[in-house]
Amino acid sequence: MTNPVKEALRRQADKFERAIKKNETRLLRGEIALGIFVAGALAASIGLIMLIPHPNPSPSSATVDPQGAVAAFSPPLVSAIPAGPAGDAVRRGMAIFDDPGKNAANYVGNA
């Protein structure tokens, strides 16, 4: 004859083990779903980043050497500055850039 207390404890332990296995399966499914979600979000982020336009240097502002590397900036010649108000503005900008203390004295130094 078996002890009823031991039998009840054994049944309770079996029931507890079945519940643990069932919950482990649920937890594993949740982890897989979370992993798929994170992977999808990462893929979508990378896709969006790839859609962002990247600036390409214009042929007039940079040159490319035979290996494909972009060389240093080479500004247009001074002789290419147009005549008229647009050319005057370009020359004024060059003067300010070349000697800001003389051509933009109000904006230079510790005032």
Side-chain angles (χ1 to χ4, degrees):
M1 192 161 152
T2 62
N3 184 346
V5 174
K6 285 185 180 181
E7 188 64 29
L9 286 173
R10 187 187 56 74
R11 279 194 309 265
Q12 193 66 25
D14 289 343
K15 185 178 177 183
F16 185 68
E17 286 179 10
R18 284 192 304 271
I20 288 174
K21 286 180 182 178
K22 185 177 180 182
N23 286 333
E24 284 176 350
T25 304
R26 285 183 185 165
L27 181 61
L28 183 60
R29 277 190 247 148
E31 290 172 345
I32 291 171
L34 180 63
I36 291 171
F37 174 77
V38 169
L42 181 63
S45 299
I46 291 171
L48 288 175
I49 290 171
M50 297 302 289
L51 292 176
I52 297 172
H54 299 287
N56 295 326
S58 64
S60 65
S61 66
T63 56
V64 179
D65 67 8
Q67 288 85 19
V70 177
F73 173 76
S74 57
L77 299 174
V78 176
S79 62
I81 298 174
D88 294 340
V90 171
R91 282 186 282 283
R92 175 74 175 140
M94 285 176 51
I96 291 171
F97 186 80
D98 290 340
D99 190 2
K102 178 181 173 190
N103 296 296
N106 293 338
Y107 307 101
V108 177
N110 294 331

